[in-house]
Amino acid sequence: GRAFSLVCSEQTVCCYLFPHRSFSHVPSCHPRYLLYDVNPPEGFNLRRDVYIRMASLVKTLRKEGHDWVLVLPPWGRLYHWQSPNIHQIRIPWGAFFSLTSLQANVPVIEYEEFVAENGGPFIDQVLVLQNYAEGWTDGKWEEKVDERPCIEKLMYSKDKQGYYRGWFWGYEETRARNVTCISAQGHASIMAPVLQRNITAISVMLDRAETLLHDHYAGKDYWDTRRSMVFAKHLRIIGDDFRAKYLNSTDDRDHTIYSEDWTRMKAKPGSAKGGSYLGVHLRRKDFIWGHREDVPSLKGAVKKMRSLMKKHKLDKVFVATDADDEELKELKRLLPDMVRYEPSAEDLELFKDGGVAIIDQWICAHARFFIGTSVSTFSFRIHEEREILGFDPKTTYNRFCGDNEKECEQPTHWKIVY
Ligand SMILES: C[C@@H]1O[C@H](OP(=O)(O)OP(=O)(O)OC[C@H]2O[C@@H](n3cnc4c(=O)[nH]c(N)nc43)[C@H](O)[C@@H]2O)[C@@H](O)[C@H](O)[C@@H]1O
């Protein structure tokens, strides 16, 4: 009321007295926190894509002069991370990515830092994003966002104290003060006015954040964020050692010098030569269960690998795959000379399934020639990594074709915008 307005006429006094409140008539005392989560079945590499959308939203909010910080959603409970007996929840981003690199793009903090700064595990407002129940009106696409009744059953429930409990990345003590549903159709930054209007909430979480589209796919902002997603150094070292030991590949020899500081990394397209091996990402499991037309049989894939090795005069092949034991046995029989990164039990425990996936991606990214799997985001992230390293696009944007696929369209080349 009026008393507040009088005391709070100056920002310093106001923030000292009421550190956790925002006021419309003075600049915010506190940064505001944007948290987010993604639909549970989505995998690691699609989640990396959603991060780019959220970073873009935070940039938009900050451009408008508001102090927002992005809170990194801890990794865990991923459907594809099935290695038994290892603890795979509440994994901080620092286990997989270089935090200083991320921070050079947009202010980010780990979830546990948020809890410490925020004075407890409370999220003021959860907005569950959903589509419009009525679909597109008149079949016309338009950007819009509105508070609407929840279409699906809420994954949050109210406790006795009136707080909402939910998954919250495996942090059982985390609670939300309020949960509402929002129908949203459009790019990530359509949320900016909604977040700004809702001025009393210091922390806002967008659930089902994948509902929002990229602000500008493959534009400068996209690439800045993508380039800032530098893999954690301890994982790159494992990948580099493996390359040197089993694939005779080093950065000096193969012209893949990497700068820790991504803002200085600007390799000329075609400058990278890559190690003298064929890099392969062969996605199996849920990609073959549906008998998809664009995914090859093991026999078909091996035939293609052999022909590429011959064509590019490569005597080694490195294979990254999520094939199950039975398929792996078959693959070893068909391709006895393939090289794979197979972590020891200790390494798996240390790096987890996510770290092992990154090591596989890093090794594929340094191959002289790469071939991946149709529409797999795992393969797409390798394309981007190779683009950053400066490979000729011809050696990167390749995918396997299904055994009976008629029109086997190859992946699109997305050039970096610096
Ligand atoms: C059908 C869709 O497929 C999408 O998968 P897709 O884009 O390939 O790629 P991702 O979103 O990364 O999900 C696939 C996951 O499977 C494991 N995986 C796949 N290939 C490899 C590999 O070569 N090496 C290692 N170490 N691990 C691999 C890894 O955990 C990876 O994150 C999913 O994101 C969606 O949830 C959905 O299931």
Side-chain angles (χ1 to χ4, degrees):
R2 232 177 94 74
F4 258 155
S5 304
L6 289 174
V7 180
C8 273
S9 56
E10 268 183 57
Q11 190 192 9
T12 39
V13 182
C14 183
C15 294
Y16 178 74
L17 291 175
F18 313 106
H20 291 290
R21 288 202 48 176
S22 286
F23 303 93
S24 52
H25 58 294
V26 290
S28 171
C29 330
H30 215 274
R32 296 179 64 196
Y33 300 97
L34 182 70
L35 302 98
Y36 72 94
D37 203 3
V38 176
N39 193 20
E42 298 302 347
F44 186 44
N45 290 291
L46 185 93
R47 285 164 191 265
R48 285 172 63 186
D49 188 76
V50 177
Y51 170 79
I52 299 181
R53 307 177 210 179
M54 293 300 106
S56 182
L57 168 57
V58 170
K59 284 185 191 176
T60 301
L61 289 161
R62 294 181 66 84
K63 264 185 226 146
E64 291 166 5
H66 308 286
D67 187 13
W68 282 84
V69 171
L70 185 59
V71 181
L72 300 165
W75 297 99
R77 201 179 65 163
L78 260 57
Y79 158 75
H80 301 94
W81 293 357
Q82 292 170 350
S83 289
N85 311 325
I86 56 168
H87 179 78
Q88 304 212 53
I89 54 166
R90 299 194 289 266
I91 305 172
W93 276 58
F96 300 141
F97 298 97
S98 150
L99 277 193
T100 44
S101 304
L102 298 176
Q103 278 156 353
N105 174 57
V106 74
V108 295
I109 53 171
E110 297 275 18
Y111 178 71
E112 294 196 8
E113 284 175 67
F114 159 75
V115 173
E117 275 187 24
N118 184 51
F122 291 94
I123 299 170
D124 293 329
Q125 174 74 56
V126 174
L127 301 175
V128 182
L129 302 180
Q130 58 186 15
N131 296 322
Y132 279 81
E134 67 271 27
W136 298 6
T137 30
D138 312 327
K140 250 197 357 239
W141 168 262
E142 53 173 343
E143 297 227 309
K144 51 185 180 175
V145 47
D146 296 286
E147 194 168 320
R148 285 290 176 92
C150 303
I151 301 171
E152 282 175 27
K153 189 173 171 288
L154 262 192
M155 304 294 275
Y156 298 87
S157 57
K158 232 176 187 173
D159 67 10
K160 280 197 202 103
Q161 288 86 34
Y163 292 114
Y164 289 86
R165 307 234 169 212
W167 161 243
F168 296 124
W169 316 282
Y171 285 87
E172 283 166 24
E173 65 284 8
T174 297
R175 275 155 290 170
R177 293 199 166 92
N178 198 17
V179 178
T180 43
C181 289
I182 296 255
S183 288
Q185 178 171 291
H187 61 274
S189 287
I190 58 165
M191 289 309 292
V194 178
L195 296 175
Q196 275 317 122
R197 230 181 292 134
N198 194 345
I199 56 162
T200 50
I202 296 283
S203 49
V204 182
M205 169 175 164
L206 301 182
D207 197 357
R208 302 294 304 264
E210 77 286 352
T211 310
L212 298 166
L213 307 174
H214 281 284
D215 279 332
H216 183 186
Y217 187 78
K220 173 168 162 40
D221 229 32
Y222 174 96
W223 276 108
D224 280 353
T225 302
R226 176 60 186 86
R227 286 159 65 226
S228 77
M229 299 178 84
V230 171
F231 291 136
K233 192 161 186 175
H234 65 280
L235 300 174
R236 281 183 283 133
I237 288 175
I238 301 289
D240 289 340
D241 288 350
F242 186 92
R243 285 166 51 214
K245 200 161 162 196
Y246 300 103
L247 296 163
N248 206 12
S249 165
T250 63
D251 288 348
D252 273 336
R253 190 179 317 140
D254 303 334
H255 306 291
T256 49
I257 301 294
Y258 193 68
S259 169
E260 191 75 29
D261 177 356
W262 63 269
T263 61
R264 287 158 173 264
M265 184 78 194
K266 200 173 172 181
K268 251 189 37 218
S271 61
K273 197 164 146 245
S276 139
Y277 58 96
L278 173 69
V280 171
H281 174 231
L282 191 59
R283 181 78 156 80
R284 307 307 285 173
K285 291 216 174 117
D286 41 326
F287 270 44
I288 52 166
W289 295 335
H291 298 283
R292 279 172 35 177
E293 215 214 355
D294 55 344
V295 179
S297 65
L298 285 183
K299 237 185 177 161
V302 170
K303 192 167 158 225
K304 180 72 184 174
M305 291 184 225
R306 291 246 178 262
S307 99
L308 285 172
M309 286 166 78
K310 199 162 162 213
K311 183 170 172 199
H312 298 281
K313 299 192 180 57
L314 303 169
D315 56 356
K316 292 194 180 68
V317 52
F318 174 81
V319 180
T321 183
D322 61 335
D324 63 19
D325 290 345
E326 204 172 302
E327 273 214 319
L328 211 51
K329 229 165 92 193
E330 174 67 1
L331 188 60
K332 280 182 182 156
R333 195 182 63 77
L334 294 168
L335 193 67
D337 46 339
M338 74 171 167
V339 180
R340 289 187 62 241
Y341 168 67
E342 287 168 300
S344 63
E346 295 88 72
D347 281 359
L348 180 59
E349 168 108 41
L350 217 58
F351 308 141
K352 322 241 183 272
D353 283 321
V356 172
I358 286 174
I359 295 166
D360 267 348
Q361 288 182 317
W362 187 246
I363 301 169
C364 282
H366 287 78
R368 187 140 322 152
F369 193 93
F370 172 73
I371 183 163
T373 302
S374 174
V375 304
S376 164
T377 55
F378 190 108
S379 294
F380 291 162
R381 300 291 91 84
I382 295 171
H383 297 162
E384 293 160 351
E385 210 63 42
R386 291 174 65 85
E387 195 72 15
I388 293 168
L389 286 166
F391 278 93
D392 178 337
K394 284 202 276 307
T395 70
T396 293
Y397 296 89
N398 309 293
R399 69 147 172 114
F400 287 107
C401 304
D403 293 359
N404 302 311
E405 196 178 352
K406 285 185 203 76
E407 277 169 46
C408 178
E409 200 186 323
Q410 293 297 299
T412 312
H413 173 204
W414 298 102
K415 218 172 147 198
I416 303 187
V417 183
Y418 289 99

